[in-house]
Amino acid sequence: MTDSTESKKFYVTAGNARTFIRAVLTGNGVPQENATIVADCVVAADLRGVDTHGINRIPSYMARIRQGVLNATGSPELHQITPVVAQVDGHNTFGFLSAHLGMSSAVSMAQTYGIGMVSVKHSNHFGMSAWIVQQALDAGMMCLVFTNSSAALPVWGGREKLMGVSPIACGAPAGRTKPFILDMAPSVAARGKIYKAKLRGERIPVGWALDAEGRPTDDPAAALEGVMLPMGGPKGSALSIMMDVFSGVLSGSAFAGHVTNPYDPSRPADVGHFFVAIKPDLFMDLEEFKERMDYLYQRVVGSERMAGVNRVFFPGEIEQLTQEERTRSGIPYVQAEIEELNKEAELVGAEEIVVSHC
């Protein structure tokens, strides 16, 4: 691979990616069961084309373990508050583990009582929100998935980093059509896209971020020194504050700009999350609900298209189609990403990641 250009893609099967991640994680002290959960969640992001939250995050997670600010060996703990409310204490373990436990608990309560709500405290970055939505969908549930995150956005009218680029996610199952999966950041673009552009030596579109002097920039490094821009001005700003209320203030985790950046290995992140699972057949027969979802899907994708648009997609559909394609063809990475991953393998004596083809 030494004679390859940075733009050349190297394809890795989902199975090989999971095997590699498990080896690196267990080599850093993560129990096998926990490593399997993390690997599945990380690869799910790459399969859906959400490369900013996939395997390229592994080096930053391992750096936090080595610095002692991410608990590699522990597991989150569930506390039942009421029959339909629980709280997870992440104990500074991987956010994937806390989120998995949290949604599992919410689903279990909803199966019995129709709804389940879980607050999570003292957690970490849990990657792509859509995998948690999918966890609920696989159990036949509707859901809400909220989290807060480290300061990256100014509030509307401000100029300093204060709110996080905290994703808003939710989902609902369907019958014969694609399920509804919303997973979006309140910023113009996800911050992870800027990190990815920096790693790949690419520019970013003007309008995504401002540099430290408050000027529009297409330089990802300068953007990371500055601020992200909220989508829709005050609307995106308000949504980021909402995420902080439900995920940070309510849970007892860090909030108001005090969540630690996942790339900052100086102290624990103390992220908060908020999950709700809902039985879709509370007010009607399940089959009727699914038929209504299918009808909504058909109305959306079959709507008249604006000029220049070839197809209208349902929320989450593009990512689901990407997953189908990458499951067949493999997940594409660039050389810099492969090299960074293999450095992590070398540190723990694990095998290099297996590339199926270029």
Side-chain angles (χ1 to χ4, degrees):
M1 293 190 298
T2 56
D3 60 348
S4 301
T5 64
E6 282 300 306
S7 61
K8 185 174 182 179
K9 297 296 191 295
F10 300 88
Y11 290 83
V12 177
T13 66
N16 286 341
R18 293 188 193 101
T19 297
F20 174 83
I21 294 170
R22 286 195 299 267
V24 170
L25 290 172
T26 55
N28 280 278
V30 179
Q32 182 68 46
E33 181 180 358
N34 291 350
T36 296
I37 293 173
V38 175
D40 288 346
C41 299
V42 168
V43 174
D46 278 333
L47 283 173
R48 288 176 63 86
V50 188
D51 303 329
T52 54
H53 290 61
I55 200 171
N56 62 32
R57 291 275 186 156
I58 291 299
S60 69
Y61 296 150
M62 298 308 98
R64 294 184 68 77
I65 289 176
R66 290 191 290 270
Q67 291 289 333
V69 292
L70 174 58
N71 181 1
T73 59
S75 294
E77 183 179 7
L78 180 73
H79 301 277
Q80 198 69 39
I81 308 300
T82 77
V84 295
V85 178
Q87 182 167 55
V88 170
D89 186 335
H91 292 308
N92 195 34
T93 58
F94 282 96
F96 303 99
L97 305 178
S98 297
H100 186 270
L101 176 61
M103 184 53 78
S104 293
S105 174
V107 164
S108 178
M109 291 184 287
Q111 286 170 336
T112 301
Y113 299 104
I115 191 168
M117 185 187 86
V118 177
S119 176
V120 180
K121 64 180 179 179
H122 309 323
S123 185
N124 282 281
H125 185 256
F126 62 39
M128 172 190 72
S129 296
W131 74 261
I132 310 168
V133 174
Q134 189 65 55
Q135 182 182 348
L137 294 178
D138 289 343
M141 295 289 168
M142 304 172 70
C143 67
L144 299 175
V145 175
F146 295 171
T147 186
N148 67 355
S149 56
S150 59
L153 284 175
V155 295
W156 185 246
R159 59 171 292 176
E160 65 172 321
K161 294 179 183 178
L162 184 58
M163 292 295 110
V165 182
S166 307
I168 304 161
C170 58
R176 298 180 304 276
T177 61
K178 301 287 187 186
F180 170 74
I181 301 177
L182 174 67
D183 180 1
M184 69 178 193
S187 56
V188 176
R191 183 169 48 178
K193 291 185 177 180
I194 296 182
Y195 282 109
K196 183 179 76 170
K198 181 182 177 183
L199 176 62
R200 293 187 172 186
E202 300 170 349
R203 313 303 288 184
I204 61 172
V206 173
W208 279 15
L210 306 178
D211 65 17
E213 302 301 321
R215 298 169 302 199
T217 182
D218 64 355
D219 180 354
L224 292 172
E225 294 297 319
V227 295
M228 303 289 295
L229 290 175
M231 66 175 185
K235 297 177 182 179
S237 174
L239 287 173
S240 68
I241 295 172
M242 183 183 82
M243 293 297 99
D244 216 24
V245 171
F246 281 84
S247 303
V249 176
L250 179 64
S251 69
S253 285
F255 66 104
H258 296 297
V259 174
T260 306
N261 188 301
Y263 291 93
D264 175 4
S266 65
R267 66 178 191 271
D270 199 18
V271 180
H273 318 308
F274 177 79
F275 307 132
V276 177
I278 306 166
K279 279 191 75 175
D281 58 350
L282 289 175
F283 311 113
M284 66 188 70
D285 179 83
L286 180 59
E287 288 309 308
E288 182 183 356
F289 175 86
K290 290 182 176 180
E291 288 174 3
R292 291 169 69 86
M293 285 299 299
D294 288 347
Y295 177 71
L296 174 62
Y297 173 90
Q298 296 295 349
R299 288 282 288 170
V300 170
V301 302
S303 60
E304 293 187 13
R305 300 186 299 273
M306 64 184 293
V309 173
N310 294 322
R311 179 176 176 181
V312 175
F313 294 93
F314 205 55
E317 185 173 13
I318 292 175
E319 291 81 5
Q320 292 171 76
L321 293 172
T322 300
Q323 178 172 337
E324 293 170 7
E325 170 59 28
R326 290 188 172 187
T327 299
R328 292 190 300 267
S329 64
I331 303 166
Y333 303 108
V334 298
Q335 182 176 346
E337 292 168 325
I338 295 293
E339 290 175 350
E340 285 299 309
L341 293 170
N342 286 336
K343 288 178 185 177
E344 293 298 330
E346 184 178 2
L347 287 174
V348 295
E351 295 291 328
E352 290 189 349
I353 193 167
V354 177
V355 175
S356 59
H357 63 284
C358 300

